[in-house]
Amino acid sequence: MAKTSPVKVLEHLYISPPVPNSSPPQTGSSLPLTFFDIPWLFFSPSQPLFFYEYPHPTNYFTSTALPNLKRSLSLTLQLYYPFAGNLNLPSEPGKPHLVCSQADNNKVLLTVAESAGDFNHLSGNRPRDVNEFYQLVPELLPPYLSADEERLLPLLAVQITVFPSSGFCIGLAYHQVVADERTFNNFIKTWASFCSFGDSYPIKSLPSFDRKVIVDAYGLEEILLKEWWQRRFTKKTVFGTEANDGYYLSNMVRTTFVVGSKDMERIKMFIVEECNVKNESLPEHLSAYILTCAFIWVCLVKTQEGLNNEKYGREDPNYLGFIAGGITRLDFPVPTTYFGNCVGFGRAMARRNGLAGEDGLVAAAKAIGSTVKRLDKAILEGAEKWISDWKVLFRSEIHVMLAGSPKVDLYETDFGLGRPKKIEDISIDSTGAISLAESRDVKGGIEVGLVLPKPQMDAFSSFFNEGLKALPLP
């Protein structure tokens, strides 16, 4: 295990929205959870890290850039105020909900720190020990009892870590019950805009907090809440956390792979040629996302097979789970500025022998494509099983779970100091997911973030590189 570099805490403080003499109109002191939010009660917090180059010493950063980051975060929390709020966790039969009042507990913990670590190493793509990143991730405050004896859980924490004369990292931890990646992207882009252009920056579209736009025609809220209470009673409410221990993480490395647009075209050529030769129908939706996911899925299966091919049944079903945007798929209108979760869950299935065979890419693409087609037609079909269907994916040795979306342009998050050099999703360490994001440097490409034990990562890297080389040339 690599030795972690020391991090010195410079400051702990709370950031609150400005004094509310000109606050935007709010819908009330609380926001109910919809059936889109409830499944995320079972997920551990999201932990994105944004690395920015900054070739100045610490004292220059703390006297110039840092005050602006603090001020602009406060302004952003005025608009996206639930992030400064709490999750209320009442006893049964009370419903969990967001508490967003302007009281003293409406605040976000901000930690400012200095690291002696290697900025360029941490913000690279090559294999890095996962333990090197944890000092950059803020700790969310634990649940506490309010003056009214309500059990409240803070929703967001932020840490800004400066690497002297190299760069800085903005780390966030937020409970995903408050926002999907689309909402988070709107939040952090607003923060970046205020930081870049000042207090008077005109926000083109304010977040919408109208929960009435989410139509629960199938009684999903009651079904999913019932499962929440059942699992909470048995203390099995957060998937994946049991894996986040020192032994499990002792030999894990984090690596980023990039699938470029030319690679995707070659993957598509291979699939089309194989289908034509065997007179088979083409998979649905041979999009960049599906092509990339199919290739990664096959490489992972081959990695598992190469290390222990007798452990897995040849006819066993293998699942690949992913998030599907709901706004464009629902049969009722939801504004793109809607604050909260509005995503569905997709789970593709293919037999292991098909994925590991010579036509593995075809099998993977067909499985994912048909699932996307089903979601396009009826994203809420089977939604009552979202929680139970996804539980089997967490920290599974054979199943695959995807996090993030290349459609969310997080690399355009510019605080007035340039685009991020690198973005990492630390939460995949505990969930076992694979992170996907748009490539920073390869136009049309997709970054694939992966955390595996070192021997498995070496094997996966070999299958990835050799697999790309074996594809037909255009």
Side-chain angles (χ1 to χ4, degrees):
M1 183 178 75
K3 184 179 180 180
T4 57
S5 300
V7 168
K8 180 174 66 173
V9 174
L10 304 178
E11 185 179 12
H12 281 306
L13 70 156
Y14 287 102
I15 302 292
S16 299
V19 177
N21 57 0
S22 60
S23 296
Q26 298 187 6
T27 58
S29 61
S30 68
L31 282 175
L33 301 185
T34 75
F35 65 84
F36 282 122
D37 301 312
I38 293 168
W40 296 98
L41 290 167
F42 296 86
F43 284 65
S44 53
S46 181
Q47 298 169 323
L49 299 181
F50 293 74
F51 290 89
Y52 292 88
E53 293 178 308
Y54 190 82
H56 303 289
T58 300
N59 59 354
Y60 185 81
F61 175 83
T62 56
S63 62
T64 56
L66 183 60
N68 197 21
L69 285 164
K70 292 178 181 178
R71 170 65 179 166
S72 53
L73 176 57
S74 175
L75 291 170
T76 305
L77 292 173
Q78 186 179 40
L79 300 179
Y80 290 82
Y81 56 87
F83 275 112
N86 297 272
L87 174 66
N88 187 314
L89 297 167
S91 300
E92 192 175 4
K95 296 180 181 180
H97 58 276
L98 305 182
V99 179
C100 317
S101 67
Q102 290 284 0
D104 291 339
N105 57 359
N106 215 38
K107 57 192 177 183
V108 169
L109 177 63
L110 170 64
T111 301
V112 182
E114 181 185 61
S115 173
D118 186 335
F119 176 83
N120 291 322
H121 167 70
L122 291 170
S123 59
N125 288 347
R126 297 172 66 85
R128 294 142 295 158
D129 191 308
V130 296
N131 293 281
E132 297 181 78
F133 292 87
Y134 297 138
Q135 295 182 94
L136 307 178
V137 179
E139 285 193 30
L140 277 162
L141 293 174
Y144 66 95
L145 288 179
S146 70
D148 299 328
E149 296 295 314
E150 293 182 327
R151 188 167 181 259
L152 302 178
L153 180 66
L155 293 168
L156 172 66
V158 181
Q159 178 172 323
I160 301 173
T161 307
V162 60
F163 296 78
S165 303
S166 298
F168 67 95
C169 172
I170 297 179
L172 303 101
Y174 67 96
H175 288 285
Q176 297 176 79
V177 69
V178 71
D180 57 19
E181 193 172 24
R182 170 193 51 81
T183 296
F184 171 76
N185 184 44
N186 291 340
F187 162 78
I188 200 165
K189 291 285 177 50
T190 301
W191 181 12
S193 297
F194 276 134
C195 192
S196 298
F197 304 108
D199 299 13
S200 59
Y201 178 75
I203 302 299
K204 296 180 180 178
S205 54
L206 296 174
S208 170
F209 300 99
D210 184 6
R211 292 297 205 242
K212 294 179 182 178
V213 300
I214 304 299
V215 180
D216 187 7
Y218 305 103
L220 294 171
E221 177 186 315
E222 182 179 354
I223 294 171
L224 297 173
L225 268 178
K226 183 177 180 181
E227 185 154 5
W228 156 254
W229 284 119
Q230 289 174 342
R231 293 185 181 276
R232 190 179 182 192
F233 180 76
T234 59
K235 298 183 179 181
K236 296 179 179 179
T237 53
V238 180
F239 301 149
T241 52
E242 66 276 1
N244 199 7
D245 56 59
Y247 173 78
Y248 169 77
L249 297 171
S250 62
N251 194 34
M252 303 289 277
V253 293
R254 170 184 305 279
T255 307
T256 302
F257 300 87
V258 178
V259 181
S261 55
K262 292 183 179 178
D263 299 324
M264 299 171 193
E265 187 59 35
R266 294 170 63 198
I267 296 170
K268 183 176 181 179
M269 285 178 58
F270 174 85
I271 292 173
V272 171
E273 289 178 4
E274 288 297 303
C275 289
N276 288 340
V277 167
K278 298 183 178 181
N279 198 27
E280 295 181 4
S281 60
L282 291 174
E284 303 278 352
H285 301 300
L286 285 176
S287 63
Y289 180 86
I290 290 176
L291 293 167
T292 299
C293 293
F295 184 72
I296 297 301
W297 195 6
V298 168
C299 288
L300 276 170
V301 170
K302 290 183 176 180
T303 298
Q304 297 163 358
E305 292 282 302
L307 293 175
N308 193 345
N309 62 358
E310 296 181 358
K311 187 175 181 179
Y312 311 106
R314 307 301 297 169
E315 293 292 330
D316 287 349
N318 280 218
Y319 299 115
L320 180 138
F322 57 94
I323 302 299
I327 286 181
T328 59
R329 290 183 168 97
L330 293 168
D331 56 8
F332 50 85
V334 178
T336 57
T337 56
Y338 173 76
F339 185 102
N341 287 284
C342 190
V343 294
F345 295 79
R347 196 176 77 165
M349 190 280 286
R351 300 293 174 185
R352 190 167 192 85
N353 56 359
L355 293 170
E358 61 179 15
D359 291 334
L361 278 174
V362 177
K366 284 188 174 183
I368 302 170
S370 62
T371 304
V372 170
K373 182 180 180 181
R374 177 181 60 80
L375 291 167
D376 287 344
K377 184 178 180 181
I379 189 172
L380 299 181
E381 182 180 314
E384 69 280 359
K385 298 180 180 179
W386 275 349
I387 296 170
S388 56
D389 282 353
W390 267 64
K391 185 181 184 299
V392 301
L393 304 178
F394 279 78
R395 188 42 62 197
S396 169
E397 292 187 12
I398 60 173
H399 305 306
V400 179
M401 182 169 62
L402 304 177
S405 170
K407 292 182 179 180
V408 180
D409 55 348
L410 288 175
Y411 273 107
E412 298 304 317
T413 308
D414 185 350
F415 286 86
L417 302 167
R419 300 165 65 217
K421 181 184 178 184
K422 188 68 184 298
I423 299 174
E424 294 282 359
D425 181 357
I426 305 304
S427 58
I428 66 173
D429 296 11
S430 60
T431 62
I434 298 170
S435 65
L436 298 178
E438 85 283 10
S439 172
R440 181 192 190 277
D441 300 316
V442 180
K443 186 176 180 180
I446 294 178
E447 286 187 6
V448 180
L450 199 60
V451 171
L452 289 172
K454 183 64 165 59
Q456 291 186 33
M457 188 67 79
D458 291 341
F460 178 89
S461 181
S462 177
F463 282 117
F464 180 90
N465 293 320
E466 294 302 318
L468 289 180
K469 290 179 183 178
L471 294 170
L473 295 173

